[in-house]
């Protein structure tokens, strides 16, 4: 072990210094990466024999982050009041497992696992488990063990907030990323997203089965942000419906996800002229749509054949009818894709979808707005997470000024669940401190940190509103405060 790294068995260098900069950048929302939001249902039923699922295909230890390193980062960035003093070292594991794709056929995926280690009582024995679903990523090599290089900083936050305090964290990379055998990402495909989450938990439990000091306790929590908020909710639904004998969800906190997928999608195309999203009316094209829509449409086409029947030019303007199919996820930086002419020149808010030189044709927008594409409408409805009621407690983290994933996604799903008699569903509105009390003593600190971060850095990447991206730090802190009490 090299003490300068703070990571036993890792070849990474300057760990603490680099991550301190990254964590602080996220807190102030200056230099935040473009992460756009989200996470829906596919017809995964099949008449063929069920493929194997949840088996461990490979496992590798990626090193151990030590408490002194995490404590130094927390102190130097002012995060210690939010994350707490680390109790445990954290071993990072990477494992591959078999699961099922949207077509019901077998596929492989991979996941990170963060395992608490140490002499504190919180670091051994049967430990609570939190499945973490990450936000939208366009990078094919996405790896939740990449603490140093992950631009979203989510792995670092989950390590410091949960794993260093004694939780086992299972964090799937998702189908279509990293070592996955699937050639695309099933983006917002609820049944597939839920099934993959179950298989990651199955495989993770098997990885830990032979561990002498740490094991999975029956306490299972689900947390996700942005796309991952959607995935966490889909997992909650699928586990309680199909796998209650195998797993019991103790509670979940989906955060800032597009649960009302149908409303989210129709609002993108409802009005001509690319109107910017207005938080007061909750209408218009959300920020990031220029880069979110290509991956969204790739998923809808691959899983449902819903975007075009014969040719991509039915939806996309030239030359993007040739460049968009199969583009995401990618190993190339988005800026390079623009320079190569594979994506349109970005606008400051990334929210101009139609018109000359833009991604989509006005004719396609009109068809969507008029309901002339029933197959597409049905695919979106099938993947909308309304119409079910959780048995275990659920608290959603979000806020009304989000211009990437509108707040109605959370208010609509909470209203829908309560209309069917749910009494264990709550909404944590980050702008209303009175709603945060169920997160316990950390709530006022989280509220203050969010408001300060937004005041300090309201704009990122030259024009994007930072509000949505600050959730990546604050919502997991609230989630842990909530889970600790259950």
């Amino acid at each position: 072990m090299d003490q300068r790294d703070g990571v036993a068995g890792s070849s990474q260098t300057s760990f603490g210094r680099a991550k301190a900069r990254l964590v602080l950048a996220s807190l102030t929302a200056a230099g935040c990466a473009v992460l756009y939001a989200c996470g829906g249902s596919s017809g995964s039923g099949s008449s063929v024999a069920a493929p194997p699922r949840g088996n461990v295909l490979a496992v590798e230890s990626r090193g151990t982050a030590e408490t002194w390193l995490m404590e130094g980062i927390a102190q130097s960035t002012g995060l210690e009041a939010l994350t707490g003093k680390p109790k445990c070292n954290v071993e990072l594991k990477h494992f591959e497992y078999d699961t099922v794709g949207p077509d019901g056929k077998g596929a492989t995926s991979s996941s990170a696992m963060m395992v608490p280690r140490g002499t504190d009582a919180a670091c051994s024995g049967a430990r609570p488990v939190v499945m973490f679903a990450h936000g939208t990523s366009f990078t094919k090599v996405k790896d939740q063990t990449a603490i140093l290089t992950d631009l979203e900083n989510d792995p670092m936050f989950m390590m410091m907030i949960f794993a260093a305090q004694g939780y086992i964290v299972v964090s799937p990379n998702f189908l279509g990323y990293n070592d996955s055998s699937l050639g695309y990402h099933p983006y917002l495909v609820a049944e597939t997203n839920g099934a993959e989450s179950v298989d990651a938990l199955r495989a993770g439990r098997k990885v830990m089965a032979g561990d002498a000091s740490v094991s999975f306790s029956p306490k299972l929590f689900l947390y996700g942000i942005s796309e991952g908020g959607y995935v966490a909710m889909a997992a909650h639904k699928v586990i309680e419906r199909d796998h209650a004998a195998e797993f019991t969800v103790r509670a979940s906190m989906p955060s800032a996800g597009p649960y009302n997928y149908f409303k989210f999608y129709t609002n993108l195309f409802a009005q001509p002229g690319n109107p910017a999203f207005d938080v007061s009316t909750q209408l218009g094209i959300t920020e990031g749509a220029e880069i979110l829509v290509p991956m969204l449409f790739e998923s809808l086409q691959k899983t449902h054949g819903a975007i075009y029947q014969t040719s991509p030019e039915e939806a996309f303007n030239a030359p993007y009818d040739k460049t968009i199919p199969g583009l995401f996820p990618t190993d190339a930086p988005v800026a390079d894709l623009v320079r190569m002419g594979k994506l349109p020149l970005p606008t400051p808010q990334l929210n101009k979808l139609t018109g000359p030189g833009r991604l989509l044709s006005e004719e396609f927008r009109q068809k969507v707005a008029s309901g002339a594409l029933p197959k597409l409408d049905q695919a979106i409805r099938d993947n909308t997470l309304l119409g079910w009621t959780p048995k275990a407690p659920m608290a959603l983290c979000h806020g009304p000024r989000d211009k990437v994933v509108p707040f109605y996604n959370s208010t609509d799903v909470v209203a829908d669940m309560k209309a069917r008699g749910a009494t264990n569903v709550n909404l944590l509105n980050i702008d209303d401190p009175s709603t945060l009390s169920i997160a316990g003593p950390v709530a006022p600190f989280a509220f203050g940190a969010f408001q300060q971060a937004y005041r300090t850095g309201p704009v990122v990447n030259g024009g994007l509103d930072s509000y949505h991206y600050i959730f990546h730090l604050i919502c997991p802190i609230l989630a842990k405060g909530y889970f600790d009490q259950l």
Side-chain angles (χ1 to χ4, degrees), residues 351-435:
N351 61 354
K352 306 298 182 187
L353 291 174
T354 61
R358 305 316 300 164
L359 193 68
L360 302 173
S361 68
E362 173 60 19
E363 180 183 6
F364 178 79
R365 186 205 66 78
Q366 292 176 6
K367 287 181 179 179
V368 174
S370 65
L373 299 173
K375 191 174 184 179
L376 177 57
D377 279 5
Q378 190 59 52
I380 302 292
R381 290 183 189 278
D382 287 347
N383 290 293
T384 296
L385 287 173
L386 301 179
W388 74 286
T389 306
K391 297 175 183 176
M394 176 183 290
L396 290 81
C397 179
H398 209 166
R401 292 180 283 171
D402 193 341
K403 294 181 180 179
V404 177
V405 180
F407 191 44
Y408 61 69
N409 284 282
S410 293
T411 57
D412 287 358
V413 76
V414 169
D416 180 70
M417 290 174 174
K418 288 188 174 182
R420 283 189 311 282
T423 58
N424 57 353
V425 178
N426 292 280
L427 175 56
L428 281 67
N429 177 350
I430 196 64
D431 285 346
D432 181 356
S434 70
T435 67

Side-chain angles (χ1 to χ4, degrees), residues 5-6 15-16 23 64-77 79-80 83-92 114-117 147 155-165:
D5 296 344
F15 190 146
V23 172
T64 299
E66 299 193 351
T67 54
W68 68 263
L69 168 68
M70 292 181 282
E71 185 173 3
I73 295 173
Q75 290 177 349
S76 66
T77 57
L79 293 178
E80 191 170 45
T83 64
K85 185 175 181 178
K87 300 175 182 177
C88 311
N89 300 328
V90 178
E91 182 187 4
L92 302 171
M114 303 177 186
V115 182
R117 302 291 189 188
I147 302 299
M156 170 60 81
F157 295 152
M158 293 303 295
M159 181 178 74
M160 294 179 64
I161 296 167
F162 282 98
Q165 300 298 326

Side-chain angles (χ1 to χ4, degrees), residues 73-344:
I73 295 173
Q75 290 177 349
S76 66
T77 57
L79 293 178
E80 191 170 45
L82 297 172
T83 64
K85 185 175 181 178
K87 300 175 182 177
C88 311
N89 300 328
V90 178
E91 182 187 4
L92 302 171
K93 291 180 178 289
H94 173 91
F95 61 89
E96 298 174 38
Y97 58 97
D98 48 24
T99 184
V100 62
D103 59 0
K105 297 179 181 179
T108 65
S109 191
S110 64
S111 177
M113 186 157 59
M114 303 177 186
V115 182
R117 302 291 189 188
T119 57
D120 190 280
C123 311
S124 61
R127 304 310 310 153
V129 178
V130 57
M131 189 212 75
F132 168 63
H134 65 75
T136 300
S137 176
F138 304 100
T139 305
K140 186 172 178 61
V141 295
K142 181 72 174 177
D143 182 357
Q144 289 295 95
T145 68
I147 302 299
L148 268 176
T149 58
D150 189 272
L151 294 177
E152 290 87 11
N153 286 334
D154 289 331
M156 170 60 81
F157 295 152
M158 293 303 295
M159 181 178 74
M160 294 179 64
I161 296 167
F162 282 98
Q165 300 298 326
Y167 282 74
I168 298 172
V169 178
V170 176
S171 183
N173 293 317
F174 293 168
L175 282 162
Y177 294 97
N178 200 268
D179 302 313
S180 175
S181 64
L182 198 65
Y184 69 97
H185 174 47
Y187 191 39
L188 307 188
V189 183
E191 292 297 318
T192 302
N193 298 156
E196 182 187 5
S197 300
V198 169
D199 292 336
L201 288 167
R202 286 169 166 164
R205 185 164 57 187
K206 290 174 182 176
V207 168
M208 297 304 298
D211 195 288
S213 60
V214 179
S215 63
F216 276 36
S217 86
K219 281 190 175 183
L220 172 61
F221 301 98
L222 307 174
Y223 167 70
I225 181 69
S226 200
E227 176 193 359
Y230 177 97
V231 173
M233 186 176 288
H236 192 149
K237 177 183 177 181
V238 168
I239 289 172
E240 290 189 336
R241 186 193 65 200
D242 299 337
H243 304 282
E246 189 174 0
F247 295 104
T248 300
V249 177
R250 190 66 166 258
S252 69
M253 186 176 285
S255 300
Y259 324 111
N260 194 345
Y261 188 10
F262 188 77
K263 186 173 181 178
F264 182 68
Y265 137 84
T266 53
N267 278 354
L268 286 176
F269 305 103
Q271 300 168 278
N274 297 301
F277 184 75
D278 186 332
V279 295
S280 63
T281 64
Q282 295 283 288
L283 296 173
I285 300 178
T286 49
E287 294 189 359
E290 292 174 15
I291 194 168
L292 180 153
V293 164
M295 193 156 74
L296 183 65
F297 279 19
E298 176 77 1
S299 175
L300 286 164
Q301 184 65 27
K302 293 280 191 178
T303 58
H304 297 82
I307 301 300
Y308 50 86
Q309 300 305 308
T310 60
S311 172
E313 66 185 16
E314 295 169 28
F316 297 103
N317 286 323
Y320 309 116
D321 57 329
K322 301 294 192 300
T323 63
I324 291 299
L327 187 61
F328 289 120
T330 178
D331 292 325
V334 171
D336 288 353
L337 298 178
V338 173
R339 281 193 290 269
M340 290 185 286
K342 294 185 177 183
L343 286 173

Side-chain angles (χ1 to χ4, degrees), residues 51-72:
R53 293 177 52 185
N55 296 305
V56 181
L57 305 177
V59 61
E60 177 186 357
S61 178
R62 297 282 177 86
T64 299
E66 299 193 351
T67 54
W68 68 263
L69 168 68
M70 292 181 282
E71 185 173 3

